[in-house]
């Protein structure tokens, strides 16, 4: 059986608020969507804790994966129509790559865990590695369906995700500085958060793409559409992804799971009501693929609701803060005010809080655009523009706008602490001097030297 043999007699359509319609015309793609492993993505939010800042951000990784598939399908169609391969190795598009491109696009986020990056931090998982395991393990439905195309087809799809696939055009479709993944999540996240920052001319960017020998380039007259995309990405990170309230809720989530793990690992503190059976393999550090695929956002939320009534005061309090949306406050600090953090922690401790669970520092920075540097541990593929005569040039060499932001990190570093430290606690007069001393170190949401 080949991928082409599995064309549906009539295409299936998913209605989508971003792309209008997402078209599935192949039985293999439809079967992959219907697997339990892929359906699980309906139960994992795309933006984790951001829904506690932007109430509309309830969208799932399921919708995002369908969107990345649809953009990739459109790219394949455009390449086949406008730049079909004439002879082998001519740098144009070989449409025999379509099956691996579409499957990699659809499955690229398959391994995300509940609340995604926070879960990874606590339990030391890697969603890309788990994605590859789901694709290549013969125990999964995903693998069984992919093997219907060819026995080595699952490995080909997995190699796109880990950037080792032999065709750089396919890899860059899914993972580069302008790829189907980013183009979908910017538009999708902008729509669901009710913001305009992530909007750019998707159609124009797609029509300016063309295959070249070493990957994908953009026609020079499409430069301004690419510039707009880069600025949209920068604004989404600064205004949405790095929002201090979302980061605060991630800190609480992180510390909540950290406390639960500590209680489990210390039998003397173990409580009969504390039996998170689905998390126990991760607390033990010995989990298999089935354990991982059992988890989703709802499983963790159920445990958090249960922990609100725990006899452990820290676990109970952190669970209540998370479930009832009581974020920590935060203040920006820099190299000049970093020395104040020990004093702030000391005041917080004196006020009765355990600083291991009630404080945190978080640095969130993003490069708007990164030129290629082979010395980097994960060098970025630079954005290439192509002139009518076929000559290539790197984007920041001709765009003064991109050059002005290239290689310059944007973001901040914050110190997180209980909001009680900034309020008047009239019922506990003995602590008033502590709160006053703390508040003298915070001005306009920034740590100040005192």
């Amino acid at each position: 059986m080949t991928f082409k043999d599995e064309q549906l007699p009539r295409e299936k359509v998913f209605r989508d608020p971003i792309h209008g319609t997402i078209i599935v015309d192949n039985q293999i793609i439809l079967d992959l969507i219907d697997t339990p492993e892929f359906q699980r993505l309906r139960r994992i939010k795309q933006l984790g804790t951001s829904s506690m800042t932007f109430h509309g951000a309830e969208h799932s990784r399921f919708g995002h994966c369908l969107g990345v598939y649809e953009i990739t399908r459109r790219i394949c169609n455009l390449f086949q129509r406008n730049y079909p391969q004439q002879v082998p190795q001519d740098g144009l598009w070989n449409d025999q790559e379509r099956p691996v491109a579409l499957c990699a696009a659809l499955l690229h986020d398959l391994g995300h865990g509940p609340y995604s990056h926070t879960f990874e931090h606590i339990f030391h998982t890697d969603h890309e590695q788990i994605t590859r395991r789901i694709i290549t393990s013969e125990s999964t439905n995903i693998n069984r369906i992919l093997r219907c195309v060819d026995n080595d087809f699952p490995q080909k799809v997995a190699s796109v995700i880990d950037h080792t696939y032999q065709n750089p055009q396919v890899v860059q479709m899914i993972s580069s500085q302008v790829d189907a993944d980013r183009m979908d999540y910017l538009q999708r996240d902008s729509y669901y958060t009710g913001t305009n920052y992530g909007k750019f001319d998707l159609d124009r960017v797609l029509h300016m793409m063309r295959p070249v020998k070493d990957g994908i380039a953009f026609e020079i007259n499409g430069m301004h559409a690419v510039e707009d995309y880069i600025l949209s990405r920068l604004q989404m990170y600064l205004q949405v992804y790095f929002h201090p309230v979302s980061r605060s809720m991630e800190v609480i989530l992180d510390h909540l799971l950290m406390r639960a793990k500590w209680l489990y690992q210390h039998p003397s503190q173990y409580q009969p009501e504390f039996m998170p059976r689905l998390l126990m393999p991760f607390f033990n550090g010995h989990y298999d693929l089935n354990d991982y695929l059992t988890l989703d956002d709802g499983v963790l939320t159920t445990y958090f609701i249960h922990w609100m009534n725990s006899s452990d005061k820290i676990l109970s309090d952190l669970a209540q803060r998370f479930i009832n949306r009581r974020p920590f406050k935060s203040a920006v600090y820099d190299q000049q005010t970093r020395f104040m953090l020990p004093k702030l922690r000391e005041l917080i401790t004196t006020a009765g809080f355990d600083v291991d669970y009630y404080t945190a520092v978080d640095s969130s920075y993003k490069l708007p655009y990164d030129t290629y540097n082979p010395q980097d541990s994960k060098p970025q593929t630079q954005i290439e523009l192509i002139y009518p005569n076929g000559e290539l040039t790197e984007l920041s060499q001709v765009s003064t706008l991109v050059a002005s932001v290239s290689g310059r990190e944007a973001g901040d570093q914050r110190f997180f602490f209980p909001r009680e430290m900034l309020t008047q606690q009239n019922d506990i007069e003995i602590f008033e001097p502590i709160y006053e001393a703390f508040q003298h170190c915070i001005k306009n949401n920034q740590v100040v030297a005192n």
Side-chain angles (χ1 to χ4, degrees):
M1 178 195 306
T2 66
F3 192 84
K4 192 173 181 179
D5 292 337
E6 290 295 296
Q7 291 297 106
L8 292 170
R10 180 179 178 181
E11 63 189 24
K12 302 288 184 180
V13 172
F14 290 81
R15 296 292 297 167
D16 186 74
I18 308 305
H19 305 297
T21 56
I22 293 174
I23 295 173
V24 175
D25 57 7
N26 189 281
Q27 187 66 50
I28 296 291
I29 296 295
L30 193 61
D31 288 346
L32 289 171
I33 293 171
D34 285 340
T35 61
E37 295 94 344
F38 194 83
Q39 289 294 316
R40 166 183 165 273
L41 297 180
R42 291 182 184 271
R43 307 190 299 276
I44 295 183
K45 289 179 184 176
Q46 172 72 9
L47 288 184
T49 62
S50 290
S51 62
M52 297 186 181
T53 305
F54 304 93
H55 67 269
E58 299 283 345
H59 57 305
S60 70
R61 293 198 177 271
F62 179 92
H64 166 61
C65 286
L66 287 181
V68 176
Y69 155 83
E70 174 62 20
I71 291 176
T72 303
R73 189 187 70 84
R74 290 178 60 184
I75 295 172
C76 290
N77 287 348
L78 287 167
F79 281 7
Q80 179 60 15
R81 171 64 179 83
N82 299 322
Y83 309 105
Q85 186 180 79
Q86 304 299 319
V87 295
Q89 308 300 319
D90 62 3
L92 298 177
W93 176 247
N94 179 358
D95 208 45
Q96 291 182 1
E97 300 285 9
R98 179 187 293 259
V100 70
L102 294 183
C103 290
L106 183 72
L107 304 176
H108 78 285
D109 269 355
L110 200 58
H112 269 286
Y115 293 104
S116 298
H117 302 295
T118 303
F119 187 89
E120 289 190 27
H121 175 252
I122 290 294
F123 298 113
H124 308 294
T125 59
D126 181 333
H127 72 272
E128 288 190 0
Q129 181 187 57
I130 292 175
T131 295
R132 295 192 295 271
R133 285 179 59 189
I134 295 170
I135 290 170
T136 58
S137 171
E138 294 188 4
S139 66
T140 68
N141 295 279
I142 293 286
N143 179 270
R144 175 180 56 79
I145 292 166
L146 293 175
R147 278 189 284 114
C148 291
V149 178
D150 196 86
N151 278 334
D152 66 350
F153 190 63
Q155 188 56 52
K156 287 182 179 179
V157 174
S159 70
V160 175
I161 293 167
D162 70 10
H163 307 164
T164 60
Y165 188 64
Q166 61 184 0
N167 188 325
Q169 295 168 354
V170 176
V171 173
Q172 289 183 31
M173 275 187 199
I174 314 303
S175 181
S176 62
Q177 294 202 71
V178 187
D179 58 27
D181 180 23
R182 289 168 173 81
M183 286 190 279
D184 182 80
Y185 77 58
L186 289 177
Q187 302 245 349
R188 190 169 300 276
D189 296 348
S190 180
Y191 175 87
Y192 281 103
T193 56
T195 63
N196 291 318
Y197 308 116
K199 294 181 179 179
F200 61 93
D201 193 341
L202 175 63
D203 288 341
R204 178 67 172 169
V205 172
L206 294 183
H207 279 85
M208 291 298 101
M209 296 176 74
R210 60 176 295 176
V212 292
K213 185 176 180 180
D214 295 320
I216 292 173
F218 297 82
E219 294 183 22
I220 190 73
N221 58 352
M223 181 182 73
H224 299 303
V226 177
E227 290 176 330
D228 186 36
Y229 157 87
I230 289 172
L231 292 182
S232 295
R233 184 165 173 251
L234 172 61
Q235 290 291 351
M236 281 297 286
Y237 272 93
L238 294 181
Q239 303 295 332
V240 176
Y241 305 138
F242 291 168
H243 195 288
V245 174
S246 301
R247 287 157 64 187
S248 168
M249 296 307 296
E250 285 182 0
V251 166
I252 293 175
L253 173 60
D254 179 277
H255 290 187
L256 173 57
L257 289 170
M258 184 170 69
R259 182 63 176 180
K261 183 178 179 180
W262 185 90
L263 287 171
Y264 178 81
Q265 292 176 340
H266 290 76
S268 63
Q269 302 292 324
Y270 194 83
Q271 305 159 60
E273 80 272 13
F274 179 65
M275 292 291 288
R277 297 190 183 281
L278 298 181
L279 281 175
M280 286 165 68
F282 299 89
F283 290 160
N284 289 323
H286 301 289
Y287 64 91
D288 58 26
L289 208 51
N290 187 61
D291 294 327
Y292 190 89
L293 292 171
T294 302
L295 298 181
D296 55 38
D297 288 1
V299 170
L300 261 61
T301 302
T302 300
Y303 284 135
F304 300 160
I305 293 171
H306 175 72
W307 293 340
M308 288 171 67
N309 297 313
S310 172
S311 59
D312 181 80
K313 292 183 178 180
I314 293 177
L315 185 70
S316 172
D317 181 63
L318 291 174
Q320 291 181 47
R321 288 175 188 263
F322 187 80
I323 292 296
N324 296 325
R325 193 194 177 277
R326 289 162 47 206
F328 289 158
K329 297 294 287 184
S330 66
V332 176
Y333 69 95
D334 55 26
Q335 292 302 108
Q336 284 68 47
T337 54
R338 178 189 293 271
F339 77 95
M340 291 292 297
L341 300 189
K343 178 181 178 180
L344 295 176
R345 290 192 181 96
E346 182 180 347
L347 290 168
I348 291 169
T349 299
T350 307
F353 294 99
D354 186 328
V355 292
D356 288 339
Y357 295 103
Y358 288 90
T359 68
V361 292
D362 175 76
S363 298
S364 292
Y365 291 96
K366 193 69 178 179
L367 286 171
Y369 175 66
D370 193 13
T371 53
Y372 175 73
N373 182 357
Q375 304 303 317
D376 290 344
S377 58
K378 293 184 177 180
Q380 292 284 336
T381 303
Q382 62 190 20
I383 299 174
E384 300 274 9
L385 300 179
I386 186 167
Y387 288 99
N389 68 355
E391 182 181 343
L392 294 172
T393 185
E394 188 268 320
L395 175 62
S396 66
Q397 298 299 309
V398 290
S399 169
T400 54
L401 190 154
V402 172
S404 68
V405 299
S406 178
R408 298 185 180 183
E409 289 186 325
D412 61 29
Q413 47 190 358
R414 288 178 174 268
F415 176 66
F416 291 86
F417 53 87
R419 64 171 50 242
E420 290 89 335
M421 298 302 297
L422 295 182
T423 60
Q424 295 295 327
Q425 303 292 327
N426 295 326
D427 56 333
I428 315 177
E429 294 183 5
I430 193 173
F431 288 147
E432 284 187 10
I434 300 169
Y435 296 127
E436 290 177 2
F438 185 91
Q439 291 164 22
H440 285 156
C441 300
I442 307 293
K443 183 178 182 181
N444 295 326
N445 297 319
Q446 296 187 38
V447 177
V448 296
N450 189 346

